[in-house]
Structures are given as structure tokens and as C-alpha cells.
Amino acid sequence: MSASNNSSSSASTFTLIGIPGLEAANFWLAFLLCSLYLLAVLGNGTIIYIIKAEQSLHEPMYLFLCMLAAIDVLISTSTMPRMMDLLWFNSTTIGFDACLLQMFCIHSLSAMESTILLAMAFDRYVAICCPLRHAAMLTSPRIAKIGLAAVIRGATVMAPFPIFIKRLPFCRSRVLSHSYCLHQDVMKLACADIKVNIIYGLIVITSVIGLDSLLISLSYVFILRAAFSLRQEARLKALGTCTSHVCAVFLFYVPFIGLSMVHRFGKIHGSNIHVVMANVYLLVPPVLNPIVYGVKTKQIRQRITRLFQRTTH
């Protein structure tokens, strides 16, 4: 194929899919998706509003939670409206540049979320293992710098993905196996050597998701060791402050690992698992994180109750 043909082939479109075999239920699937999206935006928006409005919640744990909620709103907004358009109006075609933009948003925001979860683990580690240094170490300016570092890290590490995809020719079927664009999905459609994409993808997974999850695990090893040296009441109180974060970690990493495994062994399980796991990966954390923090965190729960009491009177 000539260079000109390769170029024109790259600047084309891709076809998204819904859930194979459930086309007849697309309307109700989209309705469910819309409900979950609104719940995610409302829940995370409420968390952000409460933390911003309540001066007493301007502490490291809640400020990091506010960042996490903002990322969850952005990541769901970058995918859910397009998926609803696909299911409701059968709008299966997505432009090449739009696909690259969506891909960059998904991957960069996921990296940012992983970084914030790591920062929250560090906050819990300092609060429990070095309580006297907590206020001095995690000042408001330092927290803002950590948030900025998370944004820069996510954007910088994921920026090469669209560049690598843009250089590839696409001369086969352009039907993606998901309802949105992922790097590992798009690159498989190329009719050229994708070793660079594969190697860089492995480097990113190892240096971001792998490293972050390892450091989070290590922080909890130290947290548990410090907590079990306390008296029972103090131990329960210390571990209670970690419950919500542990739930958020599992909600983020388990679907991510599951989706990675499905991509690795996709030929065994079939395309339905690909689509379901991909949707779970994007839907579960934004929807459940505010519920977990609202239920498990006393201060958040009290403010939410007070907010609803004011709105009903």
C-alpha cells in the first residue's frame, strides 16, 4: 500500500459497538446508563460542593477526595454521553480524531485517578504512622502541588498514545470491540508493526498502575503494623478512616485488572465480556465512590444529611 493510501486510511473513522446479542434492549440499556451517569455526576458533584463549602473539611483526606470526585465526573463525561448516543440513536461511527481525543482522556484521567489514590494512601500512612508530622507534611500548597503533579503525570505519560496511533495505517476492519476508544483496542486494527505501541503500553502499565498499586499496598503494610501496636479503640478508629479508601482502591484496580485480563485472553471469552468489563471499568468507580464515602465517612454523611434537610424545608 502506498504512503498516500496509508495516510488517507489513517484519517478515517471507527465503528463502535453496543453489547452484541442485546441490540433489542439498547433503549433500556441506554436508559440504565443515563441513570447511572446522572447518579455519578450528582454524587460526585455533591461531594465536591460539600468539601468546598465546609471549611472544616479542608483537610488532606477530603481535598484528595474532592480531586478524586472531579476526575470521576470527567472520566464518566468523556465516555457516557457518547455511549448513550450509540445505544439510543445507533450512532456507531466515531471520527478518527474524536476517537484519539476520547482515548487520551480515558487513559490520562485513569492515570490521574491512580495517582490521587496513591496520594490518599500516603495521607493515611502519615496520619496513622506519623500523626505529629501530618499537618506539617501535607499543607494546602503541597496538596495543590500533588494534584497538579497528578494532572501533569497523567497527561504526559498518555500523550504518546494518540501520536503512536496516528502514525499507523488502518487497512482492515475498523470495528472496535468496545463502546468507546481504548489504545489497546484501536492498535489491534492497524495493518502495520505495533511493537512500539505494545512496548510503550507495557511500560505505562508497569510504571503507573503497577507502581502505584505496589506503593499503595506497601503503605497499608506499614499502616496495619502501626495500627496493631495501638489499643483496640484507637486501632479501630485508625483503621476506620482507611475503609473508604480501601474500597475506592478496589473499585478502581479490580475492574482495570479484569479488563486487562479480558484483553489478554479475549479470544477465549468472547466479545460480550470485553464490552461488559469495559463498561464496568468506567461506570463502577464514578457511581460507587461517592456512595462509599457518603456512607462510610461520618463527616461527609452528616453534611449530606444536613444539605438534604435544608433543601426539603
Side-chain angles (χ1 to χ4, degrees):
M1 181 176 286
S2 66
S4 62
N5 286 341
N6 285 355
S7 176
S8 62
S9 178
S10 294
S12 186
T13 60
F14 292 104
T15 300
L16 304 172
I17 64 169
I19 300 179
L22 295 178
E23 289 83 2
N26 274 357
F27 175 84
W28 298 109
L29 289 173
F31 183 79
L32 174 63
L33 195 67
C34 181
S35 301
L36 292 174
Y37 173 62
L38 293 175
L39 182 62
V41 172
L42 178 63
N44 287 289
T46 302
I47 294 288
I48 294 170
Y49 172 78
I50 288 172
I51 293 173
K52 183 180 178 182
E54 293 285 344
Q55 190 69 31
S56 60
L57 297 181
H58 290 186
E59 298 177 6
M61 181 174 74
Y62 301 111
L63 293 175
F64 286 132
L65 174 58
C66 190
M67 295 178 193
L68 187 70
I71 293 170
D72 281 340
V73 170
L74 290 174
I75 199 169
S76 57
T77 301
S78 68
T79 54
M80 295 305 115
R82 185 64 186 82
M83 290 166 64
M84 287 184 283
D85 186 36
L86 166 66
L87 295 173
W88 258 327
F89 305 107
N90 197 33
S91 179
T92 57
T93 302
I94 184 170
F96 185 78
D97 290 333
C99 185
L100 293 186
L101 177 61
Q102 187 184 57
M103 179 180 68
F104 172 74
C105 290
I106 292 170
H107 290 300
S108 60
L109 288 167
S110 295
M112 293 175 203
E113 181 150 351
S114 181
T115 307
I116 295 301
L117 288 172
L118 174 59
M120 295 173 81
F122 177 71
D123 167 61
R124 290 300 85 207
Y125 164 76
V126 176
I128 294 172
C129 299
C130 313
L132 298 179
R133 300 172 60 189
H134 184 250
M137 290 183 68
L138 289 169
T139 60
S140 294
R142 194 163 291 170
I143 291 169
K145 289 178 182 177
I146 292 172
L148 179 61
V151 173
I152 294 173
R153 183 198 191 200
T156 304
V157 171
M158 300 303 173
F161 279 149
I163 298 172
F164 291 155
I165 292 294
K166 196 121 185 174
R167 69 179 181 83
L168 295 173
F170 293 89
C171 47
R172 315 175 180 170
S173 166
R174 297 189 191 122
V175 179
L176 299 172
S177 61
H178 294 308
S179 305
Y180 53 85
C181 296
L182 287 176
H183 172 256
Q184 58 267 41
D185 195 20
V186 175
M187 72 175 183
K188 291 178 182 177
L189 301 180
C191 52
D193 188 0
I194 57 172
K195 285 181 182 177
V196 172
N197 298 66
I198 294 172
I199 292 171
Y200 187 73
L202 289 173
I203 291 172
V204 168
I205 289 175
T206 304
S207 61
V208 177
I209 302 299
L211 179 61
D212 290 358
S213 58
L214 175 62
L215 292 175
I216 290 171
S217 300
L218 286 174
S219 71
Y220 273 101
V221 169
F222 291 116
I223 287 171
L224 288 173
R225 190 173 67 177
F228 281 101
S229 66
L230 303 173
R231 294 182 178 179
Q232 184 175 2
E233 184 178 348
R235 181 194 312 158
L236 292 175
K237 184 178 180 181
L239 294 177
T241 64
C242 301
T243 305
S244 300
H245 178 253
V246 171
C247 291
V249 168
F250 275 100
L251 288 173
F252 176 77
Y253 286 104
V254 170
F256 181 90
I257 294 170
L259 182 60
S260 300
M261 293 295 290
V262 165
H263 269 284
R264 177 65 182 85
F265 303 107
K267 291 181 180 179
I268 298 174
H269 296 292
S271 59
N272 272 13
I273 301 296
H274 274 88
V275 178
V276 171
M277 283 301 301
N279 292 340
V280 167
Y281 163 60
L282 286 182
L283 271 175
V284 168
V287 172
L288 293 186
N289 276 343
I291 296 175
V292 168
Y293 276 94
V295 171
K296 292 289 185 180
T297 309
K298 182 180 177 181
Q299 291 85 342
I300 297 289
R301 187 172 64 249
Q302 288 176 340
R303 268 67 175 191
I304 291 175
T305 303
R306 194 182 308 163
L307 177 64
F308 279 104
Q309 285 175 346
R310 284 206 304 262
T311 56
T312 55
H313 289 297

